[in-house]
Amino acid sequence: MAFGTLYSGGTVVISPEPHFDPEHLWRLADRERVTFLVIVGDAFARPLVEAYDRLDPPADVSPLTVVLSG
């Protein structure tokens, strides 16, 4: 996915965090205006949904059009 995006002129954003931090990921997606998010199943999806509900202020992820879970 990343190479396909790069080869087509897109931008790939990789979190600098050494561990999975759902709140940080939402803030990063907001700051970088992420449009496509690739995650790893329920191990990521459930904590992401729970963290999103707790964000104060909420993250603006309106550009996010696809969440791909593999």
Side-chain angles (χ1 to χ4, degrees):
M1 296 300 293
F3 283 122
T5 300
L6 290 171
Y7 290 147
S8 65
T11 301
V12 174
V13 178
I14 300 173
S15 175
E17 292 295 310
H19 62 280
F20 176 57
D21 180 344
E23 183 175 333
H24 173 78
L25 188 60
W26 285 126
R27 298 292 178 207
L28 181 63
D30 180 352
R31 185 173 60 250
E32 298 294 332
R33 312 304 294 157
V34 169
T35 59
F36 195 101
L37 179 64
V38 180
I39 63 171
V40 182
D42 278 358
F44 279 35
R46 289 178 186 266
L48 280 170
V49 169
E50 292 167 1
Y52 186 82
D53 289 341
R54 291 190 310 264
L55 289 175
D56 187 28
D60 176 11
V61 290
S62 57
L64 185 61
T65 58
V66 175
V67 176
L68 178 66
S69 177

